[in-house]
């Protein structure tokens, strides 16, 4: 069993990072009851959120416009340690399931709220997505290749890194507080807030003068030869990010540039364009497999750019057992790994699969 065995979580079904936070808690061993709509959520179906995000959860399907169904949810909340929801501000209150009502039923409950912009502020009721939160938080500004627009990133840094992960972090901290004091609290987890918190390293480097406000002049923006992605002769890509001086020296030595004056001073931005072009020509001269053989496992800070299926077959990833197969999909395995507890990947329930059993546990007919 996972380290959260014995913790009970009530998740109100939605879209976005909240279902992934629920999956993370289930992967960690918590008992997660998912309250789904009696009728399918078309938006969720359109973005494929009926897949493995619900692994390991129990599903109850209810019509939350029905007062009897709302009462059932409140009874489930009384039996839970955590409630999580990902609606816009005010939706749960209109359903009669807001924090004030729930905390009257169980004062120690941790009430986790996941939104893009937060529960208050001028944008709190506006729609948004990963790219928007990264843009307004200051992160996106530093991305993109020299002379190009800041590029859209996969929905990882915002929704997951700044959303789901921050909500789970808040839940775990609030659970410790509740166990010590008996006091529950509301977690206002906003992706925008999390994105700003996650750029701590960028803020620190900026304060040290290591990065510029002009993306084309900073290594984060692909301006340097030693922090970049390069195409190979077979059309595939590799990456290098030899930030520290000793790693930089190993990279240029392995690439044959240790005596080239354009590589003599790592942080001399005047030589970056010429050095970057030489790197590009070098890597374009051989297939990706050649560079993997030469640079993998060295301190040159190298890795090939792999697709998900390729990553699943990579020697290191396989050794770490980072993927699992299930539901006809290639799924990320739970992370991190623990020495004393074993995380398990549960099955994905059918919508409403556990409705009758859960209602019977409340003393109600299914």
């Amino acid at each position: 069993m996972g380290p959260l065995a014995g913790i009970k979580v009530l998740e109100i079904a939605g879209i976005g990072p909240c279902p992934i936070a629920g999956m993370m808690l289930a992967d960690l061993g918590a008992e997660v009851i998912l309250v789904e709509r009696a009728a399918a959520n078309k938006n969720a179906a359109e973005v494929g959120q009926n897949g493995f995000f619900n692994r390991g959860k129990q599903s109850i399907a209810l019509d939350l416009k029905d007062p009897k169904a709302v009462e059932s949810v409140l009874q489930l909340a009384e039996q839970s340690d955590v409630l999580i929801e990902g609606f816009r501000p005010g939706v749960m209150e209109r359903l009669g399931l807001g924090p004030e009502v729930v905390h009257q039923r169980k004062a120690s409950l941790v009430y986790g709220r996941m939104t893009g912009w937060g529960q208050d502020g001028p944008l709190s009721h506006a729609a948004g997505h990963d790219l928007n939160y990264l843009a307004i938080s200051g992160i996106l500004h530093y991305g993109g290749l020299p002379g190009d627009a800041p590029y859209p990133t996969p929905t990882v840094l915002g929704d997951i890194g700044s959303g789901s992960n921050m909500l789970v972090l808040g839940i775990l901290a609030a659970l410790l507080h509740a166990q010590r004091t008996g006091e529950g609290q509301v977690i206002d987890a906003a992706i925008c807030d999390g994105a700003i918190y996650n750029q701590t390293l960028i803020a620190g480097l900026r304060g040290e003068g290591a990065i510029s406000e002009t993306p084309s002049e900073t290594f984060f923006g692909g301006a340097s030869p030693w922090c970049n992605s390069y195409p190979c002769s077979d059309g595939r890509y590799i990456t290098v990010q030899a930030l520290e001086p000793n790693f930089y020296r190993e990279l240029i030595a392995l690439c044959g540039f240790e005596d080239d004056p354009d590589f003599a001073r790592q942080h001399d931005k005047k030589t970056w364009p010429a050095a970057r072009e030489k790197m590009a020509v070098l890597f374009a001269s051989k297939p990706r497999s050649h560079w993997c053989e030469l640079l993998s496992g060295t301190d040159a800070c190298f890795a090939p750019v792999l697709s998900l299926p390729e990553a699943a077959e990579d020697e290191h990833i396989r050794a770490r057992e980072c993927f699992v197969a299930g539901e006809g999909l290639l799924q990320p395995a739970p992370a991190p790994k623990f020495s004393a507890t074993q995380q398990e990947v549960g099955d994905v329930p059918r919508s409403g699969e556990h409705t009758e059993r859960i209602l019977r546990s409340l003393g109600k007919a299914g």
Side-chain angles (χ1 to χ4, degrees), residues 258-276:
E258 65 267 47
D259 296 323
D260 189 318
D262 286 330
F263 292 86
R265 292 176 298 280
Q266 179 181 359
H267 295 285
D268 184 355
K269 295 180 181 180
K270 294 179 181 178
T271 64
W272 278 4
R276 191 172 65 243

Side-chain angles (χ1 to χ4, degrees), residues 328-350:
L329 296 169
L330 185 64
Q331 302 180 31
K337 295 174 171 60
F338 296 86
S339 63
T341 53
Q342 180 64 45
Q343 298 189 69
E344 298 178 358
V345 176
D347 296 329
V348 176
R350 300 187 310 274

Side-chain angles (χ1 to χ4, degrees), residues 269-289:
K269 295 180 181 180
K270 294 179 181 178
T271 64
W272 278 4
R276 191 172 65 243
E277 179 61 26
K278 290 178 180 179
M279 278 282 199
V281 170
L282 176 70
F283 287 125
S285 68
K286 301 286 185 181
R288 187 179 69 184
S289 58

Side-chain angles (χ1 to χ4, degrees), residues 156-179:
V156 174
L157 181 55
D159 280 5
I160 312 306
S162 304
S164 305
N165 285 338
M166 286 297 180
L167 177 57
V168 171
L169 173 64
I171 287 169
L172 298 180
L175 275 173
L176 290 174
H177 174 81
Q179 290 172 356

Side-chain angles (χ1 to χ4, degrees), residues 249-258 291 294-295 298-300:
R249 286 193 297 270
E250 178 147 357
L251 173 65
I252 63 173
L254 288 169
C255 290
F257 292 123
E258 65 267 47
W291 302 115
L294 176 68
L295 298 172
T298 72
D299 281 352

Side-chain angles (χ1 to χ4, degrees), residues 76-91:
L76 288 171
E78 291 176 3
Q79 300 175 2
S80 301
D81 302 291
V82 179
L83 183 152
I84 58 175
E85 60 93 0
F87 299 117
R88 296 196 201 191
V91 172

Side-chain angles (χ1 to χ4, degrees), residues 80 94 112 138 145 152 180 186 200 215 246 253 260 285 308 315 334 351:
S80 301
R94 290 193 293 273
L145 298 175
R180 289 196 309 267
V186 179
T200 301
N246 53 324
D260 189 318
S285 68
L308 271 175
E315 181 182 12
S351 180

